[in-house]
Amino acid sequence: MSLHVATDPAHGGRWTSLKAGGREWLWHRHAPGRATVSPGDAFVDAGGLEECVPTVRGTPDHGAAWSRAWTTGEDGSRTVRCDRFALARTIRTTPTGAEADYVLTADPGFRFVWAAHALLDLTEAAVLRAPDGARTRLFPEAAALLDAPWPAGAPWLEGSWPRPHGLPLGRFGPRDGTAVGATLDTARCCLHDGTDRLALALECGAQPRSVALWRNLGGFPAGRPYRSIGVEPMLGRVFDIAEAGPDDAARVPPSGEVRWRLTLAAECRCAPTDL
């Protein structure tokens, strides 16, 4: 079935609705300050799906695009222009969901991370399916949940999906006061929530792809935590571009542009063993 997509180009191009069969997949929270941000402001988490580029964590927090207005082209595409790059996006519905085509233009050699920072409205019974054995990076906020001490100075630990270092990441559950970030070396995944399915896939030649996971079960932010689940197709393999090794970030080739496609399907016909 098709997905209805709504965005807010005046406020960072944020996806504000992703609806299929009467179900809204995107999670939201009341954040009145989101409407008045300017470049350089601290991130305001209103939910939905944010375009995070050229980084997710680090500087600027959640990237440079979320705090800028997007313009509309004659072809219906939306474009945001930042200090070192421009990002254009075209979204269309399909018989099985929706597609978003992206073009980032910048000087050759420019390195970046991009994430479709989708915060999803999921029940406590929801499950994330991804290929068994996919290389998975856990980031330091997971340290308290592991049996062994976190190695001094390590930016991440690698394990295998779905239980890297014994931590079951594919199930979300109720609030338990934890928050964990991870990246999976896969270009596709599928959410199962009751009888509903949402599949996500990323196509991009010659660039590193992954799926970022933010499993916040009431462990963030300090003082006023809330529950939020992020499942985020990504170019790159780290949250912070400053931590990216040679193969951990996208790089603009001599042509001066990188193109990719995000595909979302409201039904998943793959058996769990195939994902």
Side-chain angles (χ1 to χ4, degrees):
M1 68 180 64
S2 293
L3 281 160
H4 169 77
V5 179
T7 65
D8 186 356
H11 301 102
R14 185 169 67 100
W15 301 40
T16 57
S17 182
L18 187 63
K19 187 178 293 186
R23 171 168 183 159
E24 175 59 66
W25 281 96
L26 294 180
W27 170 88
H28 300 87
R29 67 186 290 266
H30 182 61
R34 181 68 179 80
T36 58
V37 297
S38 298
D41 288 352
F43 181 66
V44 178
D45 186 6
L49 186 157
E50 302 277 11
E51 304 285 355
C52 292
V53 59
T55 192
V56 182
R57 298 180 182 177
T59 304
D61 187 20
H62 285 73
W66 73 272
S67 58
R68 289 173 163 84
W70 295 48
T71 58
T72 303
E74 293 182 359
D75 60 356
S77 64
R78 310 279 194 183
T79 300
V80 61
R81 300 187 185 280
C82 301
D83 292 341
R84 296 188 60 193
F85 66 92
L87 178 66
R89 179 187 70 194
T90 303
I91 301 174
R92 67 185 64 85
T93 59
T94 68
T96 58
E99 293 176 345
D101 286 332
Y102 293 85
V103 183
L104 183 140
T105 55
D107 290 339
F110 177 70
R111 299 180 77 223
F112 67 95
V113 170
W114 165 85
H117 187 278
L119 295 178
L120 301 172
D121 189 4
L122 302 175
T123 71
E124 296 177 1
V127 177
L128 177 63
R129 305 284 190 183
D132 284 347
R135 186 173 63 171
T136 303
R137 289 178 174 177
L138 294 174
F139 290 82
E141 61 269 13
L145 304 177
L146 306 182
D147 294 336
W150 190 271
W156 58 74
L157 288 182
E158 290 193 353
S160 298
W161 182 266
R163 298 179 65 92
H165 294 272
L167 184 60
L169 284 184
R171 297 184 179 274
F172 303 116
R175 292 171 60 113
D176 63 6
T178 67
V180 176
T183 59
L184 291 68
D185 270 10
T186 181
R188 62 193 182 101
C189 64
C190 186
L191 285 153
H192 293 228
D193 196 0
T195 59
D196 297 328
R197 305 287 184 267
L198 180 67
L200 304 98
L202 185 61
E203 303 171 44
C204 186
Q207 301 289 351
R209 297 170 296 168
S210 64
V211 173
L213 173 63
W214 173 240
R215 196 186 72 172
N216 175 23
L217 303 180
F220 178 88
R224 302 186 66 180
Y226 48 83
R227 183 181 187 272
S228 61
I229 307 298
V231 179
E232 310 168 22
M234 173 184 279
L235 292 184
R237 298 189 179 98
V238 293
F239 288 104
D240 190 343
I241 185 64
E243 297 180 343
D247 300 322
D248 293 334
R251 184 186 296 272
V252 176
S255 66
E257 66 177 34
V258 179
R259 294 176 176 267
W260 66 94
R261 172 174 290 176
L262 172 65
T263 301
L264 306 101
E267 296 180 355
C268 179
R269 297 183 176 86
C270 299
T273 54
D274 294 331
L275 282 168

